[in-house]
């Protein structure tokens, strides 16, 4: 209930303040496991990715955010779960796979941190996608969140990994990661 309320409030605020527009929502499956993989420009990005969708989107968030009084409780109640930065977080990967196995949808930033260009991405999104079999929807956020200027979130068609899944190899994670990132950046206009 709190998620629906916060989403409604943020839809109005982002619409007014950032003139948020969503394109390609028809590419996001209405059920089943989905990973939304996006570029990452700002702390405003997680709501940007999720508020225009009718499904709940859950995110990994750096562990330190859960230590902030009230904010930590809020993001946990909205479905966020902690990830340790600087290494592999087995707990976060396990939580992601459980969420997806239950048919949920999560958002992830493959680059791992805020960046303005397509630098090297981490392999976590690829690992989670291959282990869960979830659909991967590339997302591109276009804009800089300047007040009253348009920000656009674009959802692309799910990434086809059938060739990599059919013939796995030692570099499968790298290939999946590269494919995800190329689909994200292809949404840039």
């Amino acid at each position: 209930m709190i998620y629906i309320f916060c989403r409604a409030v943020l839809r109005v605020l982002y619409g007014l303040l950032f003139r948020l527009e969503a394109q390609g929502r028809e590419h996001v499956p209405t059920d089943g496991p989905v990973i939304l993989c996006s570029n990452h420009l700002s702390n405003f990005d997680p709501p940007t990715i999720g508020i225009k969708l009718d499904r709940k989107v859950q995110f990994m968030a750096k562990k330190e955010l859960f230590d902030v009084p009230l904010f930590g409780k809020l993001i946990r109640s909205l479905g966020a779960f902690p990830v340790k930065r600087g290494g592999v977080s087995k707990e976060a990967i396990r939580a992601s796979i459980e969420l997806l196995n239950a048919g949920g949808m999560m958002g992830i930033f493959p680059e791992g941190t805020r960046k303005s260009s397509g630098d090297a991405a981490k392999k976590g999104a690829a690992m989670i996608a291959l282990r869960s079999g979830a659909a991967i929807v590339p997302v591109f956020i276009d804009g800089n969140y300047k007040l009253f200027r348009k920000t656009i979130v674009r959802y692309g068609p799910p990434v086809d990994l059938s060739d990599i899944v059919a013939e796995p190899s030692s570099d499968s994670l790298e290939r999946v990661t590269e494919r995800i990132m190329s689909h994200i950046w292809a949404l840039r206009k």
Side-chain angles (χ1 to χ4, degrees):
M1 193 66 173
I2 190 166
Y3 183 89
I4 294 169
F5 172 77
C6 288
R7 180 177 60 198
V9 169
L10 289 174
R11 278 181 180 172
V12 172
L13 288 176
Y14 274 54
L16 293 172
L17 299 176
F18 307 125
R19 296 179 46 215
L20 182 64
E21 178 183 318
Q23 298 174 352
R25 284 182 285 191
E26 68 276 6
H27 295 301
V28 180
T30 56
D31 57 20
V34 177
I35 303 172
L36 301 173
C37 291
S38 179
N39 63 317
H40 195 13
L41 304 172
S42 164
N43 289 328
F44 292 119
D45 292 345
T48 298
I49 291 169
I51 60 175
K52 291 287 191 167
L53 300 175
D54 292 328
R55 291 183 66 185
K56 182 177 184 176
V57 182
Q58 295 178 251
F59 287 88
M60 290 183 192
K62 62 183 177 181
K63 186 179 180 302
E64 296 81 14
L65 292 177
F66 292 87
D67 297 331
V68 177
L70 297 179
F71 185 71
K73 288 182 180 181
L74 174 65
I75 62 174
R76 191 177 299 277
S77 70
L78 294 173
F81 52 95
V83 61
K84 286 187 252 177
R85 294 176 57 161
V88 176
S89 174
K90 292 178 184 173
E91 297 83 14
I93 291 171
R94 188 177 306 118
S96 299
I97 292 171
E98 286 175 8
L99 165 69
L100 294 166
N101 285 343
M105 181 161 54
M106 68 175 289
I108 192 167
F109 303 104
E111 294 169 306
T113 189
R114 294 179 304 278
K115 297 183 181 190
S116 60
S117 63
D119 295 329
K122 299 182 187 296
K123 298 174 194 156
M127 180 188 317
I128 294 166
L130 289 174
R131 287 189 182 176
S132 68
I136 300 170
V137 175
V139 181
F140 186 82
I141 299 169
D142 191 1
N144 52 15
Y145 298 103
K146 296 230 178 193
L147 289 179
F148 311 114
R149 293 200 183 156
K150 186 176 281 193
T151 298
I152 299 171
V153 59
R154 291 185 191 99
Y155 304 91
V159 178
D160 182 9
L161 301 175
S162 59
D163 59 320
I164 298 173
V165 172
E167 294 186 34
S169 64
S170 61
D171 67 342
S172 291
L173 288 177
E174 289 86 4
R175 292 170 48 216
V176 170
T177 300
E178 288 172 12
R179 188 164 302 169
I180 290 168
M181 294 310 298
S182 71
H183 278 74
I184 291 170
W185 291 103
L187 295 170
R188 183 181 214 170
K189 295 190 179 179

